[in-house]
Amino acid sequence: MAAIKVAEQEHPVPAFGWAARDQSGVLSPFNFSRRATGEKDVKFKVLYCGICHSDLHMIKNEWGIATYPLVPGHEIVGQVTEVGSQVTKFSPGDRVGVGCIAASCRSCDSCINDLENHCPKAIPIYSGHSPDGTVTYGGYSDVMVCDEHFVVRIPDALPLQSAAPLLCAGITVYSALRYYGLDRPGMNLAVVGLGGLGHVAVKFARAMGAQVTVISTSPAKKDDAIQNLGADSFLISRDQEEMKAAMGRFDGIVDTVSADHPLVPLIGLLKTNGKLVLVGAPTKPFELPAFPLLKGRKMVGGSGIGGMKETQEMLDFAGKHGIAAEVEVIPVEYVNKAMERLEKADVKYRFVIDVGNTLLKNA
């Protein structure tokens, strides 16, 4: 109770959201506070917040790093209401977003090279600790205050609710495609898994000019992958004949799956010099023998979110090419049910909380 009381009083701006109190992961209404708008801060009203699978892991402390009470949410979009005296990039009324990072040191090699996401002192947007020692709270809430460096502009061409998941899922797959050189027109790529990450990976890869195959355990997703998302072909990973026929086909594979699964069959699908890029986060270690990599000089790499410059670049690219997430918009009171469904992969393809229209009703 003391921690909850402190959360309400430690800052001058009243805030309201939904928080988990313990490892049960059950979310319920929570009063807390935000800092006053500093000279370099942007304050904005939260309108929508996506639900990432990471939120589910965090509210249940499955990674062992949760701080309770925990307000999740790192796919946050809304409208600016106030800016500090030294803010130059934003004005009241602007459509903005904040992703996974609340702050970084701004001076290490990673920060200097626009890779704030790799800063050793990066502060997560929720369940982290600000320099003043207070806990950070995420976007399942009515108001955000953030340094302008970590705020991005949402292009007018993108609906806010569909843009929200791009701040995690979108930048994760975009950064992977760019860094590993899988963004060149004419490449033959595969996307493993057709969920929150996978479906936007298909859209970005197609917009970059690739031929895209979706690899999935679920035959039921074939029509949606090809007819709705624009994939060129579909491969059922449990069908040994289909997998055998696809050996040596792909220049690169983006693996978005967070469930435990074998990598060796995927490595076999790569061309010589092919790259398998992991963006999902299974809980168990992979088995990775050396010879499938040595034969064909193949690579297995990983990638997470990008830095702030690349995140804005991704959003601008999405706006230009009409890339938005496929979402199911929900009221905040449905959030616990949404978490249950997310755990069963029962969503097409991302839950987004309608914060602006439903959170205030629960205050």
Side-chain angles (χ1 to χ4, degrees):
M1 292 300 293
I4 294 174
K5 193 66 176 175
V6 167
E8 289 186 56
Q9 298 177 349
E10 63 190 357
H11 296 300
V13 179
F16 177 73
W18 277 48
R21 269 60 170 203
D22 54 43
Q23 294 184 18
S24 70
V26 176
L27 295 149
S28 58
F30 175 59
N31 289 292
F32 63 107
S33 56
R34 299 283 189 194
R35 70 174 183 261
T37 306
E39 59 185 14
K40 294 184 179 180
D41 284 340
V42 173
K43 179 182 177 183
F44 67 94
K45 178 182 179 182
V46 178
L47 297 178
Y48 296 97
C49 185
I51 297 179
C52 178
H53 209 282
S54 300
D55 298 343
L56 180 60
H57 288 299
M58 286 294 292
I59 61 176
K60 296 187 174 184
N61 199 26
E62 291 176 348
W63 293 337
I65 56 174
T67 299
Y68 298 103
L70 187 151
V71 178
H74 57 214
E75 300 176 345
I76 314 159
V77 296
Q79 188 170 42
V80 176
T81 57
E82 184 181 20
V83 298
S85 60
Q86 294 188 23
V87 169
T88 60
K89 295 190 294 183
F90 303 101
S91 302
D94 286 349
R95 292 157 34 104
V96 298
V98 170
C100 302
I101 311 170
S104 69
C105 78
R106 309 285 296 278
S107 60
C108 68
D109 285 346
S110 291
C111 288
I112 291 170
N113 288 289
D114 299 312
L115 295 169
E116 299 92 340
N117 51 309
H118 295 303
C119 173
K121 297 181 180 179
I123 298 171
I125 201 69
Y126 71 82
S127 202
H129 288 84
S130 298
D132 64 3
T134 60
V135 174
T136 57
Y137 297 111
Y140 297 14
S141 59
D142 58 357
V143 62
M144 293 293 298
V145 179
C146 196
D147 186 293
E148 75 165 332
H149 183 78
F150 298 93
V151 179
V152 289
R153 186 179 302 277
I154 308 298
D156 291 338
L158 298 178
L160 282 177
Q161 65 270 31
S162 302
L166 299 182
L167 295 171
C168 177
I171 183 56
T172 295
V173 298
Y174 181 91
S175 185
L177 290 166
R178 289 292 198 206
Y179 178 76
Y180 285 97
L182 304 179
D183 56 347
R184 297 192 297 274
M187 299 196 87
N188 199 337
L189 304 182
V191 174
V192 185
L194 196 63
L197 287 165
H199 88 283
V200 290
V202 172
K203 292 187 177 188
F204 276 112
R206 288 289 291 129
M208 292 171 179
Q211 295 289 310
V212 181
T213 297
V214 170
I215 301 176
S216 174
T217 59
S218 176
K221 293 184 177 182
K222 180 176 181 178
D223 287 347
D224 199 47
I226 294 174
Q227 296 174 14
N228 182 33
L229 300 176
D232 297 285
S233 57
F234 191 89
L235 187 61
I236 300 169
S237 58
R238 290 173 176 163
D239 188 319
Q240 296 303 313
E241 291 302 313
E242 285 193 15
M243 292 288 282
K244 184 177 180 181
M247 294 283 283
R249 179 185 299 176
F250 302 111
D251 298 292
I253 300 174
V254 178
D255 185 349
T256 71
V257 176
S258 290
D260 297 325
H261 63 289
L263 294 186
V264 173
L266 298 177
I267 295 170
L269 302 179
L270 292 170
K271 295 179 181 179
T272 299
N273 298 324
K275 301 168 184 176
L276 171 60
V277 184
L278 310 179
V279 296
T283 55
K284 294 182 181 178
F286 286 111
E287 182 177 332
L288 187 61
F291 279 103
L293 300 179
L294 301 178
K295 187 177 181 181
R297 198 165 60 181
K298 298 170 184 177
M299 176 190 296
V300 176
S303 192
I305 61 168
M308 299 313 304
K309 180 179 179 181
E310 189 175 46
T311 301
Q312 187 65 63
E313 175 189 299
M314 175 274 302
L315 287 168
D316 294 341
F317 183 92
K320 179 180 179 180
H321 294 276
I323 298 171
E326 307 284 320
V327 302
E328 180 178 338
V329 179
I330 62 168
V332 69
E333 59 266 22
Y334 188 78
V335 68
N336 288 305
K337 181 64 176 178
M339 290 295 184
E340 292 176 9
R341 287 178 53 193
L342 180 59
E343 198 159 24
K344 301 173 185 175
D346 178 22
V347 57
K348 189 178 172 182
Y349 286 95
R350 202 71 152 186
F351 286 118
V352 173
I353 304 169
D354 185 350
V355 175
N357 290 317
T358 67
L359 182 63
L360 296 180
K361 296 176 183 177
N362 295 274

